[in-house]
Amino acid sequence: MQTRVEDMPLIAPSPARADSNAEHSTDFRILGAISFSHLLNDMIQSLILAIYPILKSGFNLSFAQIGLITLTYQITASLLQPAVGLVTDKKPMPYSLPVGMGFTLCGLLLLATAPNFGILLVAAALVGTGSSVFHPESSRVARMASGGRHGLAQSLFQVGGNAGASLGPLLAAWIIVPHGRGSVAWFSLAALLAIVVLLQVGHWYARHRQSHGRSRSRHFEILSLSRNKIIGALVVLGLLIFSKFFYLASISSYYTFYLMHKFGVSVQGSQVYLFVFLAAVAVGALIGGPIGDRFGRKWVIWVSILGVAPFTLLLPHVGLAWTAILTIIIGLVLSSAFSAILVYAQELIPGRIGMVSGMFFGFAFGMGGIGAAVLGGLADTHGIEYVYQLCAWLPLMGLITVFLPNIERPTAVARAA
């Protein structure tokens, strides 16, 4: 994040490039492969969140220590992702994807065998490192394979990750809870499968860059936005990421504890409720990008952040059945924002796909980690229900979307390069 905006070329894709991209159809085979890899990657990562009740009882951890595990994982990813993206903007590394998955594999095996809390933190850091390599380059591959349909490509990429995240709690309930923490090691097979798939993606990436990348890299025109407006837009997007991922941290890290405390739900039952919420997040991520392609990213950001506020404000005051229903609605609506925010930022600073992707994935991970740590401390001192009453107000920050400049015409979004 050391790159100054003043040093970045204020450029936007030219019509010539848009026409060139339009000539190439969306490569759904590569999008499917990268989405499937994202599913496996985030399924593995979500196991950390899913087995928190097991870790808490097995190591006698406080809520603050639970939050520290998430913070370690998220901060490792958030600090490294922008750096990885900046480096790969200058020197693309097609085979960095399977290497990143190798870090995740090592972290997974260590998580299954860690003898104490300190080693758990090392395992979380390794998984975070794998994520920091995987996400910026995977997002670049999705854009390369988009055929100009950038919102659709990012949504397909995101839905893989969200689907994998939703599977983690369910698999934890079926496999890890009955058989113990050591059974986490079985999921190393998923990491090995992802490495095989990502090797094939790396081959395509290398061939695509050789035949297409260099010939298109110079076709740009000046963007009619001042540097101050670009900086202001990035600040607004950062605040929206903060509100979205701080709120999501309250559910992904503490929803199981909330259900067990307030409604007496069992550990396995709470995992099923978490799966339902995360499945709704996956569906919401799928629809956000295509809607943004058709109607504009800013409109999607408005609806997804601010539109969820009535439901979050109601959530702490309802019974179990309505809690499940409201979290489904919250997951569907809130998760549609990220693809729109990411593509909006990529179009705001074109030519810096890796850096922008790494910056926003990293910031999102960082906010999730900081949120988990802060909210864990609040849960220890004020109780788990207080956390949900406080976080319910976060989506009202969606009002600041009004300060985002209009950088797209809805009818042309689907064709923009």
Side-chain angles (χ1 to χ4, degrees):
M1 301 217 17
Q2 297 298 319
T3 302
R4 295 168 29 192
V5 174
E6 299 90 65
D7 297 331
M8 297 177 185
L10 299 186
I11 49 179
S14 68
R17 186 178 181 185
D19 293 340
S20 175
N21 277 344
E23 293 173 2
H24 298 272
S25 61
T26 305
D27 194 330
F28 286 102
R29 180 179 61 90
I30 292 300
L31 289 177
I34 206 68
S35 181
F36 178 65
S37 300
H38 200 186
L39 182 150
L40 295 173
N41 182 78
D42 285 21
M43 180 193 74
I44 292 168
Q45 293 170 4
S46 71
L47 290 175
I48 298 177
L49 303 176
I51 64 172
Y52 275 172
I54 296 175
L55 297 179
K56 190 175 190 299
S57 60
F59 291 92
N60 195 26
L61 304 179
S62 67
F63 281 121
Q65 287 175 307
I66 291 292
L68 188 58
I69 295 173
T70 304
L71 177 64
T72 301
Y73 157 64
Q74 303 280 38
I75 289 297
T76 305
S78 67
L79 290 178
L80 291 177
Q81 285 199 48
V84 170
L86 187 61
V87 169
T88 54
D89 275 338
K90 297 178 179 178
K91 183 177 177 58
M93 301 178 184
Y95 297 102
S96 62
L97 291 169
V99 172
M101 188 59 65
F103 281 101
T104 300
L105 172 61
C106 294
L108 184 67
L109 294 173
L110 196 58
L111 178 65
T113 58
N116 54 53
F117 178 67
I119 301 301
L120 282 179
L121 294 181
V122 174
L126 284 171
V127 175
T129 301
S131 179
S132 70
V133 177
F134 176 81
H135 284 94
E137 281 298 86
S138 294
S139 182
R140 187 198 305 276
V141 169
R143 190 172 179 92
M144 289 167 62
S146 70
R149 301 164 71 181
H150 300 145
L152 172 64
Q154 289 299 331
S155 280
L156 289 173
F157 172 60
Q158 288 299 318
V159 78
N162 288 322
S166 70
L167 285 174
L170 200 60
L171 294 172
W174 288 346
I175 299 173
I176 300 174
V177 172
H179 297 96
R181 181 168 59 93
S183 59
V184 169
W186 285 104
F187 291 91
S188 62
L189 296 175
L192 290 172
L193 175 59
I195 289 172
V196 172
V197 174
L198 290 173
L199 281 171
Q200 306 310 309
V201 172
H203 295 328
W204 176 88
Y205 183 175
R207 292 195 304 270
H208 187 277
R209 178 173 173 265
Q210 231 178 9
S211 58
H212 298 291
R214 296 179 183 178
S215 63
R216 296 182 185 180
S217 61
R218 302 178 186 273
H219 298 289
F220 297 103
E221 61 183 9
I222 300 299
L223 185 68
S224 59
L225 285 180
S226 68
R227 290 178 175 86
N228 287 338
K229 285 188 176 181
I230 291 178
I231 293 171
L234 291 174
V235 170
V236 170
L237 293 175
L239 290 172
L240 293 173
I241 289 287
F242 160 78
S243 68
K244 170 179 163 37
F245 283 92
F246 238 72
Y247 186 83
L248 285 178
S250 73
I251 298 188
S252 62
S253 292
Y254 302 109
Y255 187 42
T256 54
F257 298 110
Y258 176 76
L259 294 173
M260 289 187 288
H261 169 78
K262 187 171 182 177
F263 303 112
V265 177
S266 68
V267 173
Q268 284 182 302
S270 68
Q271 300 287 6
V272 174
Y273 279 99
L274 182 58
F275 162 75
V276 171
F277 166 74
L278 294 175
V281 169
V283 174
L286 179 61
I287 65 178
I291 292 176
D293 280 341
R294 184 172 181 82
F295 298 106
R297 328 284 179 207
K298 187 175 176 179
W299 183 88
V300 173
I301 296 169
W302 263 115
V303 173
S304 61
I305 303 290
L306 186 60
V308 82
F311 306 106
T312 62
L313 290 168
L314 186 59
L315 180 66
H317 309 289
V318 298
L320 179 59
W322 274 106
T323 294
I325 293 170
L326 288 175
T327 53
I328 290 172
I329 297 171
I330 291 168
L332 283 170
V333 177
L334 191 58
S335 63
S336 63
F338 189 70
S339 293
I341 290 173
L342 181 60
V343 177
Y344 183 100
Q346 289 174 342
E347 293 172 352
L348 193 68
I349 312 177
R352 297 287 189 273
I353 301 303
M355 188 201 71
V356 170
S357 299
M359 183 171 65
F360 276 84
F361 275 112
F363 189 63
F365 275 67
M367 286 300 98
I370 293 171
V374 170
L375 297 176
L378 287 174
D380 282 332
T381 56
H382 293 80
I384 195 71
E385 293 185 45
Y386 175 80
V387 168
Y388 286 87
Q389 293 168 359
L390 181 65
C391 290
W393 299 91
L394 285 172
L396 291 177
M397 289 185 67
L399 288 168
I400 64 175
T401 304
V402 70
F403 296 110
L404 289 177
N406 295 314
I407 63 172
E408 58 194 1
R409 297 189 304 273
T411 55
V413 172
R415 298 191 307 270

